[in-house]
Amino acid sequence: MLTQVASFLSRERLLAMSYTVTNVHAHEIIDSRAKPTVEVAVEMEGVRAVAGVPSGASTGAREAVELRDGDMNRFGGAGVLTAVSNVNGELRDLVLSRSWESLAEIDRAMIELDGTENKGRLGANAILGVSMAFARAASQYDRTALWKWLPGIEGQPPRLPVPCFNVLNGGAHAPNPLDFQEFMISPLGAPNFAEAMRAGAEVYAKLKSLLAAGGHSTGLGDEGGFAPDLESPEEVCALLVEAITSAGYSAGRDGVMIALDPASSEFYDGGTYTVSGEKLSSSDMVSRYEKMIVDYPIWSIEDGVAENDDEGWKALTDAIGDRVQLVGDDNFCTNPAIIKRAIENGVANASLIKVNQIGTLTETIEAMTMCHEAGYGQMVSHRSGETPDSFIADLVVATGCGQIKTGAPARGERIAKYNRLLEIADAHPELSYGLR
Ligand code: PGA
Ligand code: ZN
């Protein structure tokens, strides 16, 4: 307790009372899918920090608005010059107009300036870029690691997360016939973060050779996982178990387990789910998962049913919510107001956390705090369209939620996050590893 108070005081002393931004500038860059996105630089006295904004493909309907130009002569309408000019105009004017005592203060001022419910006027991509670049610049100004500088969550101290490696891609992230979007492996039993990375990389390599031996393609999907011509989710799970065990790990809590993100809103239409050509009702889906979690070492399922299938969500939670983690992504959109209602209605038991779904770091941490207080898990996540920015690695450590998904242990924009976590783990052996 004494040490805690002492380190709290010394940390307080380290941080500036206020931050004066001397310049803000955005420009258009290209993300990992060849689509434009926003990069923002924030300058403070002697410091310049840059942040890149991520972008999803299987987006929830209630996500904050990602402003795209719609000019069909540039990038098929996907340009972000409007968002860029909103940063270089109105947002810059705001940020330079005064000094800021905290991240929350600047985030709230940007939300107010935007004036809409969903950041549709200035764009969540514009606002988030400033929020992230401001936090990074302020941490550098204070000569403090970003994860130590970011606001944390009371009762959930900093921690190194279980990495959930998306090793096999389907759905909106790959051109194969697989309807389920993400098949992840999570080294829950690893003794530390570095060993978890090793397990992920070894299983990934083993999976590659098993696919090649079976005559399958080893080409990659958007998040760096393999994208073979497989159709059945059960067949993929069996293959993952084979890869895990032949890499020398146990396929269980003491070793490596499977996490799924079917992203089922993408194959749900008119009340029916279509999985490998088969038409399934909501309750058929629930029964399918009930069987899958018995047959395979699955510990977490995200978006098992569609974002607007409220009854399906309730039924799924009632059926297996006491045995596996059920993560809301498309239905929750990292939105504190939506998550609050879901908690009251007993829907899911965890939330995916994507900074660009809500558009400021402050609201992201608010959503996580709400989950923590209700006993809901939080899985920090990248987007399928990424930049080499490693911000979410610091965010997941700062908030101590204990889990992150940021793609396969391959492709630069994915390993940037994992390698930043390795750097933090190496420098801070005192940090615990693992799920909460
Ligand atoms: P997205 O996919 O970034 O394309 O939305 C990630 C997910 O669904 O979790
Ligand atoms: Zn998802």
Side-chain angles (χ1 to χ4, degrees):
M1 184 62 199
L2 268 179
T3 11
Q4 261 175 21
V5 172
S7 72
F8 178 73
L9 287 177
S10 62
R11 183 186 144 170
E12 281 298 284
R13 257 202 309 278
L14 279 173
L15 302 187
M17 296 298 284
S18 73
Y19 302 91
T20 305
V21 176
T22 51
N23 199 16
V24 178
H25 183 77
H27 71 135
E28 197 177 59
I29 60 166
I30 300 300
D31 76 9
S32 56
R33 262 197 297 245
K35 266 177 86 176
T37 189
V38 178
E39 182 173 271
V40 178
V42 163
E43 291 174 37
M44 290 175 193
E45 215 178 299
V47 163
R48 181 174 185 275
V50 172
V53 176
S55 171
S58 62
T59 49
R62 289 173 289 183
E63 292 194 15
V65 174
E66 179 182 77
L67 220 53
R68 297 275 176 195
D69 299 337
D71 170 0
M72 297 312 282
N73 295 316
R74 294 185 76 251
F75 300 103
V80 291
L81 294 180
T82 322
V84 161
S85 67
N86 289 342
V87 175
N88 294 338
E90 278 190 66
L91 286 166
R92 182 179 184 276
D93 289 346
L94 170 74
V95 173
L96 266 57
S97 68
R98 47 168 291 193
S99 52
W100 304 96
E101 276 173 29
S102 65
L103 178 63
E105 192 174 44
I106 191 169
D107 282 347
R108 302 238 176 273
M110 291 194 288
I111 293 166
E112 202 176 304
L113 178 68
D114 173 79
T116 68
E117 271 294 298
N118 56 10
K119 304 185 178 66
R121 193 175 77 77
L122 296 171
N125 42 353
I127 293 171
L128 178 66
V130 177
S131 182
M132 289 164 74
F134 175 86
R136 185 173 270 143
S139 74
Q140 289 177 15
Y141 181 77
D142 286 332
R143 296 175 188 277
T144 303
L146 180 56
W147 66 270
K148 283 190 190 166
W149 187 91
L150 285 168
I153 293 174
E154 211 181 309
Q156 213 174 245
R159 186 181 192 82
L160 286 156
V162 170
C164 299
F165 301 105
N166 183 7
V167 293
L168 209 136
N169 300 180
H173 296 166
N176 58 5
L178 193 58
D179 298 298
F180 278 28
Q181 180 178 282
E182 301 174 19
F183 293 82
M184 293 171 273
I185 49 165
S186 310
L188 298 182
N192 56 48
F193 186 79
E195 286 299 309
M197 276 310 298
R198 176 182 158 205
E202 289 178 356
V203 174
Y204 182 77
K206 207 41 108 172
L207 179 61
K208 183 174 185 178
S209 46
L210 287 174
L211 285 168
H216 294 291
S217 155
T218 54
L220 305 183
D222 288 358
E223 298 192 347
F226 303 109
D229 272 352
L230 295 171
E231 264 188 62
S232 136
E234 287 81 0
E235 195 185 342
V236 174
C237 288
L239 191 65
L240 290 188
V241 170
E242 199 184 339
I244 292 166
T245 51
S246 58
Y249 295 92
S250 91
R253 286 226 168 236
D254 58 340
V256 181
M257 288 188 85
I258 296 173
L260 300 176
D261 178 9
S264 63
S265 305
E266 300 287 319
F267 53 85
Y268 179 70
D269 191 28
T272 303
Y273 296 87
T274 308
V275 181
S276 359
E278 205 184 327
K279 304 278 180 213
L280 301 172
S281 69
S282 193
S283 69
D284 292 338
M285 285 300 282
V286 173
S287 316
R288 184 118 177 206
Y289 293 126
E290 276 189 287
K291 179 154 172 38
M292 283 181 90
I293 64 166
V294 172
D295 293 345
Y296 304 99
I298 294 169
W299 74 279
S300 177
I301 302 173
E302 174 186 331
D303 284 355
V305 288
E307 64 181 292
N308 53 9
D309 183 3
D310 292 339
E311 275 171 37
W313 262 108
K314 191 83 186 89
L316 184 64
T317 312
D318 291 345
I320 59 173
D322 57 343
R323 278 175 285 167
V324 289
Q325 174 171 270
L326 296 173
V327 186
D329 170 14
D330 287 355
N331 54 338
F332 288 0
C333 295
T334 317
N335 185 315
I338 297 174
I339 296 172
K340 184 165 183 279
R341 278 198 299 279
I343 290 169
E344 283 160 8
N345 294 331
V347 166
N349 54 32
S351 176
L352 203 70
I353 299 294
K354 292 166 163 168
V355 287
N356 81 320
Q357 278 186 325
I358 187 70
T360 64
L361 292 170
T362 298
E363 291 161 289
T364 302
I365 295 167
E366 203 178 304
M368 296 180 81
T369 305
M370 188 173 285
C371 287
H372 165 67
E373 283 168 1
Y376 272 44
Q378 311 116 57
M379 185 189 281
V380 167
S381 170
H382 65 161
R383 296 311 301 251
S384 50
E386 268 292 340
T387 75
D389 192 319
S390 62
F391 198 105
I392 58 168
D394 283 78
L395 178 68
V396 73
V397 175
T399 53
C401 65
Q403 34 182 323
I404 189 172
K405 67 166 192 177
T406 183
R411 292 182 55 143
E413 76 281 4
R414 313 295 151 187
I415 60 166
K417 285 75 164 165
Y418 292 129
N419 286 341
R420 170 65 182 146
L421 287 165
L422 281 170
E423 187 185 16
I424 297 172
D426 180 59
H428 294 277
E430 76 279 9
L431 288 172
S432 308
Y433 163 81
L435 285 186
R436 288 224 162 259

